[in-house]
């Protein structure tokens, strides 16, 4: 009986974590980053428009677009540990 309760508890925890992650993804937004911002910076300043017409897959030196939580505006900086690089350019 204890094993069944334990399995049910673990299952509920996994479903709760998956639901929380899905909720976070729904609240994420894409942001353009100021031209010339290296992917190795600690912060990425938000821009109004795309910094380069040649934005491509992640892996180049300069950050183009990141995905982060909603609420950032132009001029604010997004900490690199709080976002995912979507595209970059050379």
């Amino acid at each position: 009986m204890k094993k069944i309760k334990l399995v049910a508890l673990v299952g509920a925890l996994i479903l709760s974590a998956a639901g929380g992650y899905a909720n976070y993804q729904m609240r994420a937004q894409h942001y353009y980053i100021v031209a010339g911002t290296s992917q190795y910076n600690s912060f990425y300043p938000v821009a109004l428009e795309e910094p380069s017409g040649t934005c491509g897959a992640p892996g180049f030196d300069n950050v183009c677009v990141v995905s982060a939580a909603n609420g950032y505006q132009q001029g604010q900086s997004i900490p690199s540990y709080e976002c995912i690089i979507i595209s970059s350019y050379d």
Side-chain angles (χ1 to χ4, degrees), residues 17-33:
Y21 178 74
N23 192 21
Y24 166 77
Q25 291 292 57
M26 287 177 31
R27 291 182 286 149
Q29 180 177 336
H30 290 172
Y31 298 95
Y32 290 122
I33 301 302

Side-chain angles (χ1 to χ4, degrees), residues 6-75:
L6 183 60
V7 169
L9 178 63
V10 169
L13 288 173
I14 290 171
L15 290 176
S16 176
Y21 178 74
N23 192 21
Y24 166 77
Q25 291 292 57
M26 287 177 31
R27 291 182 286 149
Q29 180 177 336
H30 290 172
Y31 298 95
Y32 290 122
I33 301 302
V34 171
T37 302
S38 171
Q39 67 174 340
Y40 303 109
N41 286 6
S42 298
F43 293 90
Y44 303 138
V46 176
L48 277 180
E49 54 191 33
E50 186 175 2
S52 170
T54 59
C55 291
F60 295 107
D61 289 336
N62 297 309
V63 179
C64 185
V65 178
V66 299
S67 178
N70 284 333
Y72 290 100
Q73 297 176 3
Q74 179 189 13

